[in-house]
Amino acid sequence: MCATAVAVNESERYKKVLWQDVRVGDLVHLSNNETVPADILLLKSSDPHGVCYIDTCDLDGETNLKRRQVIRGFAEKQHSFVQSKFTSRVEVDAPSTKIYRFHGAVIHPSGERVPVSTESLLLRESRLKNTDYAEGIVVYAGHETKAMLNNSGPRYKRSQIEQQMNIDVIWCVIILIILCVIGAIGCKMWLSSFVDKVPDDKYNKTFRIPYLPFEIDPDYEGLLAFWTFVIILQIMIPLSLYVTIELCKIMQVYHIHNSLDLYDPQTNKRTECRAMNITEELGQVRYIFSDKTGTLTENRMIFRRCTIVGVDYNHPETEEEKELTKMGGVVPNLQPNISLVENLNQTTDAGRLTGSAQQIQEFFLVLTICNTVVVSATPHKDHMNASGVIELNDSDTSVTLVRPVIAEGIANGVDPASDRYARLTESRSITPPHRQMHPRHCR
């Protein structure tokens, strides 16, 4: 099971706890490439400007990194921030499914109210990237996180024929009930027509029918007639139709798996049908919309054509490339367009680039730098050791400094790692429609 680092007592040490033990108000320490265990409000980052990056591909499918900023007022205190001295109160909205909407405020002991938004929120199931470490306070935990509220399970897909069949069956049931009610009412009216032929007895509702050897009650006989007609007419509901359609779908799946037109000889793979309830919809597809270029291009993106200042520079596919593509081989490097190279290297008599050459150079420069890329000069390293102690490195002396509170505990013979996996006690304070919380510590 997954575990994360949570602050311990009033000290400046963290310990590992399971995700299920993370509670609202906990101060959490995250390392690079670590998955966020709950919805956390960012209080501190290893970046001197209070910035961190998260990957939300598991939430929205986007692979680009999202930037998150430390709460206003805490960015200037990155080096002096201590989790044990965080005494501010946090108010946030009630849990909701909207991952791009979040409102709240951090209320300091002085009464200052600092608003917070999604710019400072780390969502559960996102991953910390390009940041040595980050610290924050849990605002939503467990099933109250936005990721869990949006996790309603897979949506069942129904084909058009199944939807139409369900409607037809409902109409059959309605017609069956109407016929049974009519039959029951007719039975009661027919039996009631013999009342005038027998002596009137207001205390006895039963009477004899001339050709029946026993007394009957029209109301009771009408009720029995209703269920009798249900048994007789239940054949109107086509339950066997569902079985027949399922057998037809099985045959369709068999033909899809064994179709030579859907077989790829390059990868030696055939079509795999994973959903049997919508196979008949394949023959009715007219348009395909895709937002993933790799789905249609097989992740082989080749830049072949561009237009610069009205001039078209084309790189057509050669016969050799076509043959290699069919065989599944490696496509050779694309040769640049001769006209493009000549125009790019045009110079004036003074040795400077011409106007068209500068425009071509500017085009490729913009094409190169228009990317979201975060470069790290050194590998990411967290400052928290195995005992949960935050170590500060003095860049001038290269000496590892341990904070005084922890040093005193070690000097007194207290093992910092002795209670690393102790269970947290639950402490929550909820005030609808806003939620108030304070940092919670282990006892």
Side-chain angles (χ1 to χ4, degrees), residues 317-342:
E317 188 177 12
T318 62
E319 295 297 332
E320 181 184 1
E321 293 178 358
K322 293 180 180 179
E323 292 296 330
L324 291 175
T325 302
K326 292 181 180 179
M327 297 173 58
V330 179
V331 179
N333 294 331
L334 189 65
Q335 298 298 325
N337 187 288
I338 299 177
S339 300
L340 178 62
V341 176
E342 293 177 354

Short mmCIF file of all heavy atoms in Angstrom, two decimals, residues 317-342:
data_model
loop_
_atom_site.label_atom_id
_atom_site.label_comp_id
_atom_site.label_asym_id
_atom_site.label_seq_id
_atom_site.Cartn_x
_atom_site.Cartn_y
_atom_site.Cartn_z
N GLU A 317 7.33 12.45 -49.79
CA GLU A 317 7.80 11.12 -49.40
C GLU A 317 8.36 10.39 -50.62
O GLU A 317 7.72 10.32 -51.68
CB GLU A 317 6.65 10.32 -48.80
CG GLU A 317 7.06 8.99 -48.20
CD GLU A 317 5.90 8.27 -47.55
OE1 GLU A 317 4.75 8.70 -47.78
OE2 GLU A 317 6.13 7.29 -46.84
N THR A 318 9.55 9.86 -50.48
CA THR A 318 10.20 9.15 -51.57
C THR A 318 9.71 7.71 -51.65
O THR A 318 9.06 7.20 -50.73
CB THR A 318 11.73 9.17 -51.38
OG1 THR A 318 12.05 8.49 -50.15
CG2 THR A 318 12.25 10.60 -51.32
N GLU A 319 10.04 7.06 -52.76
CA GLU A 319 9.64 5.66 -52.93
C GLU A 319 10.32 4.76 -51.91
O GLU A 319 9.73 3.79 -51.42
CB GLU A 319 9.99 5.20 -54.35
CG GLU A 319 9.21 5.91 -55.45
CD GLU A 319 7.71 5.64 -55.35
OE1 GLU A 319 7.35 4.55 -54.84
OE2 GLU A 319 6.92 6.50 -55.77
N GLU A 320 11.56 5.09 -51.57
CA GLU A 320 12.27 4.29 -50.56
C GLU A 320 11.57 4.38 -49.21
O GLU A 320 11.43 3.37 -48.50
CB GLU A 320 13.71 4.78 -50.45
CG GLU A 320 14.55 4.00 -49.44
CD GLU A 320 15.95 4.57 -49.29
OE1 GLU A 320 16.24 5.59 -49.96
OE2 GLU A 320 16.72 4.00 -48.50
N GLU A 321 11.14 5.57 -48.84
CA GLU A 321 10.44 5.74 -47.56
C GLU A 321 9.11 4.98 -47.57
O GLU A 321 8.72 4.40 -46.55
CB GLU A 321 10.21 7.23 -47.29
CG GLU A 321 11.50 8.01 -47.05
CD GLU A 321 11.22 9.48 -46.85
OE1 GLU A 321 10.04 9.87 -46.94
OE2 GLU A 321 12.17 10.24 -46.60
N LYS A 322 8.42 5.00 -48.70
CA LYS A 322 7.15 4.28 -48.77
C LYS A 322 7.36 2.78 -48.57
O LYS A 322 6.59 2.12 -47.87
CB LYS A 322 6.48 4.54 -50.12
CG LYS A 322 6.02 5.99 -50.31
CD LYS A 322 5.36 6.17 -51.67
CE LYS A 322 4.90 7.61 -51.86
NZ LYS A 322 4.28 7.83 -53.20
N GLU A 323 8.40 2.23 -49.20
CA GLU A 323 8.66 0.80 -49.06
C GLU A 323 9.05 0.44 -47.63
O GLU A 323 8.59 -0.56 -47.08
CB GLU A 323 9.77 0.38 -50.03
CG GLU A 323 9.38 0.45 -51.49
CD GLU A 323 8.26 -0.52 -51.83
OE1 GLU A 323 8.19 -1.58 -51.17
OE2 GLU A 323 7.46 -0.22 -52.74
N LEU A 324 9.89 1.29 -47.02
CA LEU A 324 10.29 1.02 -45.64
C LEU A 324 9.11 1.14 -44.69
O LEU A 324 9.01 0.41 -43.70
CB LEU A 324 11.41 1.98 -45.23
CG LEU A 324 12.77 1.76 -45.92
CD1 LEU A 324 13.75 2.86 -45.52
CD2 LEU A 324 13.33 0.40 -45.55
N THR A 325 8.20 2.06 -44.97
CA THR A 325 7.03 2.22 -44.12
C THR A 325 6.13 1.00 -44.20
O THR A 325 5.60 0.52 -43.20
CB THR A 325 6.25 3.48 -44.52
OG1 THR A 325 7.11 4.62 -44.42
CG2 THR A 325 5.04 3.68 -43.63
N LYS A 326 5.95 0.46 -45.41
CA LYS A 326 5.12 -0.74 -45.57
C LYS A 326 5.74 -1.94 -44.88
O LYS A 326 5.04 -2.78 -44.31
CB LYS A 326 4.92 -1.03 -47.05
CG LYS A 326 4.08 0.01 -47.78
CD LYS A 326 3.92 -0.37 -49.24
CE LYS A 326 3.07 0.67 -49.98
NZ LYS A 326 2.91 0.32 -51.42
N MET A 327 7.06 -2.04 -44.92
CA MET A 327 7.75 -3.18 -44.32
C MET A 327 7.95 -3.02 -42.83
O MET A 327 8.39 -3.95 -42.15
CB MET A 327 9.11 -3.37 -45.00
CG MET A 327 9.03 -3.70 -46.48
SD MET A 327 10.66 -3.70 -47.27
CE MET A 327 11.50 -4.93 -46.28
N GLY A 328 7.64 -1.84 -42.29
CA GLY A 328 7.82 -1.61 -40.87
C GLY A 328 9.25 -1.32 -40.48
O GLY A 328 9.62 -1.43 -39.31
N GLY A 329 10.09 -0.93 -41.46
CA GLY A 329 11.48 -0.64 -41.18
C GLY A 329 11.68 0.78 -40.67
O GLY A 329 10.74 1.57 -40.53
N VAL A 330 12.94 1.11 -40.40
CA VAL A 330 13.29 2.44 -39.89
C VAL A 330 13.34 3.42 -41.06
O VAL A 330 14.03 3.18 -42.06
CB VAL A 330 14.64 2.41 -39.15
CG1 VAL A 330 15.00 3.80 -38.64
CG2 VAL A 330 14.58 1.41 -38.01
N VAL A 331 12.61 4.52 -40.94
CA VAL A 331 12.59 5.52 -42.00
C VAL A 331 13.88 6.33 -41.94
O VAL A 331 14.29 6.78 -40.86
CB VAL A 331 11.37 6.45 -41.84
CG1 VAL A 331 11.36 7.51 -42.93
CG2 VAL A 331 10.09 5.63 -41.89
N PRO A 332 14.59 6.51 -43.06
CA PRO A 332 15.85 7.28 -43.03
C PRO A 332 15.60 8.74 -42.70
O PRO A 332 14.47 9.24 -42.76
CB PRO A 332 16.38 7.10 -44.46
CG PRO A 332 15.18 6.81 -45.29
CD PRO A 332 14.25 6.03 -44.41
N ASN A 333 16.67 9.42 -42.33
CA ASN A 333 16.57 10.83 -41.99
C ASN A 333 16.06 11.64 -43.18
O ASN A 333 16.46 11.41 -44.32
CB ASN A 333 17.93 11.37 -41.54
CG ASN A 333 18.39 10.73 -40.24
OD1 ASN A 333 17.57 10.33 -39.42
ND2 ASN A 333 19.69 10.63 -40.05
N LEU A 334 15.19 12.58 -42.89
CA LEU A 334 14.58 13.39 -43.93
C LEU A 334 15.60 14.39 -44.47
O LEU A 334 16.24 15.12 -43.70
CB LEU A 334 13.36 14.12 -43.37
CG LEU A 334 12.48 14.85 -44.38
CD1 LEU A 334 11.83 13.84 -45.32
CD2 LEU A 334 11.41 15.65 -43.66
N GLN A 335 15.75 14.43 -45.78
CA GLN A 335 16.67 15.37 -46.39
C GLN A 335 16.01 16.73 -46.51
O GLN A 335 14.86 16.84 -46.93
CB GLN A 335 17.09 14.87 -47.79
CG GLN A 335 17.82 13.54 -47.76
CD GLN A 335 19.13 13.63 -46.99
OE1 GLN A 335 19.82 14.65 -47.03
NE2 GLN A 335 19.47 12.55 -46.29
N PRO A 336 16.70 17.80 -46.13
CA PRO A 336 16.09 19.14 -46.18
C PRO A 336 15.82 19.58 -47.61
O PRO A 336 16.48 19.15 -48.56
CB PRO A 336 17.14 20.03 -45.50
CG PRO A 336 18.42 19.30 -45.66
CD PRO A 336 18.08 17.83 -45.63
N ASN A 337 14.85 20.45 -47.74
CA ASN A 337 14.51 21.01 -49.04
C ASN A 337 15.66 21.90 -49.53
O ASN A 337 16.17 22.74 -48.79
CB ASN A 337 13.21 21.81 -48.92
CG ASN A 337 12.71 22.28 -50.26
OD1 ASN A 337 13.28 23.19 -50.86
ND2 ASN A 337 11.62 21.68 -50.71
N ILE A 338 16.05 21.71 -50.79
CA ILE A 338 17.20 22.44 -51.32
C ILE A 338 16.92 23.94 -51.36
O ILE A 338 17.77 24.76 -50.99
CB ILE A 338 17.55 21.91 -52.73
CG1 ILE A 338 17.93 20.42 -52.65
CG2 ILE A 338 18.70 22.71 -53.34
CD1 ILE A 338 18.21 19.79 -54.00
N SER A 339 15.72 24.32 -51.78
CA SER A 339 15.38 25.74 -51.83
C SER A 339 15.38 26.36 -50.45
O SER A 339 15.80 27.51 -50.26
CB SER A 339 14.00 25.92 -52.48
OG SER A 339 14.00 25.40 -53.79
N LEU A 340 14.94 25.60 -49.45
CA LEU A 340 14.93 26.11 -48.08
C LEU A 340 16.35 26.37 -47.59
O LEU A 340 16.62 27.40 -46.95
CB LEU A 340 14.21 25.12 -47.17
CG LEU A 340 14.14 25.48 -45.68
CD1 LEU A 340 13.38 26.77 -45.48
CD2 LEU A 340 13.50 24.35 -44.89
N VAL A 341 17.26 25.47 -47.89
CA VAL A 341 18.66 25.64 -47.45
C VAL A 341 19.29 26.84 -48.15
O VAL A 341 20.01 27.64 -47.53
CB VAL A 341 19.45 24.35 -47.72
CG1 VAL A 341 20.93 24.56 -47.36
CG2 VAL A 341 18.88 23.19 -46.93
N GLU A 342 19.02 26.99 -49.43
CA GLU A 342 19.60 28.11 -50.17
C GLU A 342 19.06 29.45 -49.66
O GLU A 342 19.83 30.40 -49.46
CB GLU A 342 19.30 27.95 -51.66
CG GLU A 342 20.01 26.75 -52.30
CD GLU A 342 19.63 26.59 -53.76
OE1 GLU A 342 18.72 27.33 -54.21
OE2 GLU A 342 20.23 25.73 -54.44
#
